[in-house]
């Protein structure tokens, strides 16, 4: 079955109960734009044969810009990718907040669990979200590849780079890592399709570098290195900056020159990512609570050791901070 048919079948599926009015890639519409462009090029090519030979025509076509596609194609695709990324992040944040909730929220959730199987519902909703982001990511990849084929250009490939720079690359979302960690944390539940779905995700801490693997489809397999680029150790109490890079919370705070109890979001807007040096990536950083729970269960001794070290460092920083504030207030 061609991907167009598969994607159309997916759009007419039963995921509407959870996704609601979430955007999707207008795959058929974008293909029609490319088809019209191909037809225009064929007509133009036949009229140009009187003036140019075949080789010069192909040379002229290479990396040629098409005003029709540039206006309708990339603008629409960027808008759709941005809306899909936003919808996915919002839904995943809400879903995982229910799972790692504390205080009154946890009490209410446990009370509801007495009457309904909330855990199984969360798992099913997570599956819908992962399928949503995967299908749309594949649709974008396919349509960009087709664009480059029609235009004999690299504009589609360049657009992928632009998507990463603008943080709308769908499979770059830290919430995808969080959902993968959520499934591994819930892997004790083996309920038919859900149990089979769990086996697509794995985490290996035995090698030189800890690796999380998400096998979303036969053609989409993602690997995430869980090593912090600052301390060169497995991430602890991890946070993801908006550029997509993972760090320990303490290392991110240290790189941004903020205190542990203030958190990465208190960083100066001009602070840069230690890896890609992008500015302003701390304000929308994501605390990876599910990934932290996974590390806590898989690397118990390491996690306890890092927890004690972080607590000691936080006490030290807090003491120095309040001593300095006291001196300033009292004037000595």
């Amino acid at each position: 079955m061609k991907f167009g048919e598969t994607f159309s079948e997916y759009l007419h599926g039963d995921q509407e109960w959870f996704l609601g009015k979430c955007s999707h890639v207008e795959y058929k519409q974008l293909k029609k734009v490319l088809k019209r462009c191909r037809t225009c090029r064929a007509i133009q090519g036949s009229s140009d044969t009187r003036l140019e030979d075949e080789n010069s025509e192909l040379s002229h076509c290479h990396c040629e810009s098409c005003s029709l596609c540039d206006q309708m194609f990339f603008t629409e695709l960027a808008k759709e990718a941005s809306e899909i990324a936003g919808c996915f992040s919002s839904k995943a944040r809400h879903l995982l907040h229910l799972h790692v909730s504390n205080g009154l929220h946890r009490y209410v959730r446990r009370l509801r669990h007495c009457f309904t199987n909330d855990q199984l519902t969360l798992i099913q909703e997570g599956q819908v979200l992962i399928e949503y982001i995967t299908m749309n990511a594949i649709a974008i990849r396919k349509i960009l590849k087709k664009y480059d084929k029609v235009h004999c250009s690299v504009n589609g490939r360049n657009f992928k780079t632009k998507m990463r720079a603008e943080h709308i690359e769908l499979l770059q979302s830290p919430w995808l890592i969080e959902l993968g960690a959520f499934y591994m944390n819930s892997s004790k539940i083996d309920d038919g399709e859900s149990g089979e779905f769990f086996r697509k995700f794995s985490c290996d801490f035995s090698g030189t570098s800890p690796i999380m693997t998400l096998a979303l489809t036969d053609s989409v397999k993602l690997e995430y290195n869980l090593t912090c680029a600052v301390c060169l150790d497995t991430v602890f109490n991890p946070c993801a900056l908006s550029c997509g890079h993972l760090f320990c919370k303490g290392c991110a705070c240290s790189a941004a020159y903020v205190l542990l109890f203030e958190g990465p979001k208190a960083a100066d807007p001009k602070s840069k990512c230690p890896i890609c040096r992008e500015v302003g990536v701390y304000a929308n950083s994501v605390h990876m609570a599910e990934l932290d729970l996974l590390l806590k269960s898989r690397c118990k001794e390491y996690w306890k050791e890092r927890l004690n070290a972080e607590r000691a460092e936080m006490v030290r920083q807090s003491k120095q901070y309040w001593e300095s504030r006291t001196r300033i207030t009292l004037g000595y």
Side-chain angles (χ1 to χ4, degrees):
M1 185 185 291
K2 291 184 177 180
F3 176 75
E5 296 173 358
T6 304
F7 191 65
S8 180
E9 189 177 293
Y10 163 73
L11 292 178
H12 292 89
D14 58 354
Q15 72 277 1
E16 289 296 322
W17 62 272
F18 179 62
L19 293 178
K21 296 182 179 180
C22 284
S23 299
H24 292 277
V25 174
E26 295 293 340
Y27 188 76
K28 281 189 175 181
Q29 183 178 338
L30 292 172
K31 277 189 71 175
K32 286 179 181 178
V33 173
L34 291 181
K35 190 174 181 181
R36 286 199 301 270
C37 184
R38 181 180 287 174
T39 303
C40 292
R41 283 180 176 274
I43 295 172
Q44 183 181 0
S46 62
S47 63
D48 288 345
T49 50
R50 300 175 183 177
L51 303 173
E52 299 177 350
D53 59 18
E54 185 177 352
N55 291 333
S56 62
E57 184 182 343
L58 288 174
S59 175
H60 177 66
C61 180
H62 185 67
C63 292
E64 186 178 352
S65 177
C66 173
S67 58
L68 174 67
C69 286
D70 286 350
Q71 183 179 1
M72 298 180 62
F73 189 88
F74 289 120
T75 303
E76 182 65 24
L77 196 57
K79 179 184 174 184
E80 290 169 0
S82 179
E83 290 176 351
I84 291 166
C87 178
F88 175 73
S89 299
S90 176
K91 294 277 186 182
R93 183 186 293 109
H94 177 70
L95 184 149
L96 296 174
H97 174 71
L98 294 175
H99 184 243
V100 296
S101 56
N102 50 32
L104 181 61
H105 290 286
R106 177 177 290 182
Y107 174 78
V108 172
R109 182 171 171 270
R110 287 184 177 179
L111 186 63
R112 287 179 58 192
H113 187 69
C114 297
F115 304 98
T116 59
N117 192 345
D118 277 358
Q119 183 72 4
L120 188 57
T121 301
L122 291 178
I123 289 170
Q124 291 170 347
E125 290 176 352
Q127 281 183 253
V128 172
L129 273 179
I130 289 177
E131 187 179 21
Y132 168 70
I133 202 74
T134 303
M135 292 299 291
N136 282 284
I138 294 174
I140 290 175
R141 186 182 69 185
K142 294 273 188 184
I143 203 71
L144 288 176
K145 187 176 180 181
K146 188 172 288 291
Y147 178 96
D148 282 348
K149 184 177 180 181
V150 169
H151 297 86
C152 303
S153 75
V154 292
N155 291 343
R157 197 183 308 168
N158 293 338
F159 183 75
K160 287 182 185 178
T161 305
K162 182 182 176 183
M163 286 175 64
R164 293 190 191 99
E166 295 180 359
H167 311 142
I168 56 174
E169 165 60 52
L170 302 185
L171 299 182
Q172 192 183 25
S173 173
W175 292 107
L176 192 56
I177 301 177
E178 277 287 85
L179 282 173
F182 163 68
Y183 274 102
M184 282 181 267
N185 290 330
S186 308
S187 59
K188 292 180 181 178
I189 299 177
D190 193 348
D191 182 70
E193 289 185 14
S194 297
E196 185 64 31
F197 194 71
F198 290 143
R199 297 182 185 95
K200 297 179 179 181
F201 309 118
S202 62
C203 214
D204 182 15
F205 294 101
S206 59
T208 54
S209 297
I211 300 292
M212 175 187 282
T213 304
L214 308 181
L216 304 179
T217 65
D218 293 337
S219 61
V220 180
K221 183 179 179 181
L222 306 175
E223 289 190 348
Y224 300 96
N225 191 326
L226 302 181
T227 301
C228 173
V230 176
C231 65
L232 302 180
D233 213 335
T234 304
V235 289
F236 169 77
N237 198 6
C239 71
L241 306 186
S242 58
C243 57
H245 293 117
L246 281 175
F247 301 96
C248 306
K249 178 185 175 182
C251 295
C253 290
S254 176
Y257 301 102
V258 294
L259 302 176
L260 264 170
F261 65 83
E262 292 178 312
K265 292 188 177 183
D268 187 284
K270 296 181 180 178
S271 298
K272 299 179 181 179
C273 169
I275 296 178
C276 65
R277 311 304 295 169
E278 185 176 345
V279 176
V281 292
Y282 288 88
N284 296 317
S285 59
V286 177
H287 176 229
M288 311 290 279
E290 288 290 346
L291 182 56
D292 193 42
L293 285 175
L294 179 66
L295 294 167
K296 183 179 179 180
S297 62
R298 300 287 181 92
C299 311
K300 294 180 180 178
E301 293 301 319
Y302 170 77
W303 192 87
K304 286 180 181 179
E305 181 183 335
R306 290 293 301 267
L307 177 64
N308 292 333
E310 185 178 272
R311 283 177 174 173
E313 178 63 17
M314 187 177 291
V315 169
R316 187 189 69 81
Q317 289 184 7
S318 300
K319 184 179 178 181
Q320 288 182 347
Y321 174 79
W322 288 112
E323 284 179 351
S324 65
R325 299 302 297 177
T326 301
R327 285 195 296 269
I328 292 171
T329 303
L330 299 178
Y332 67 89

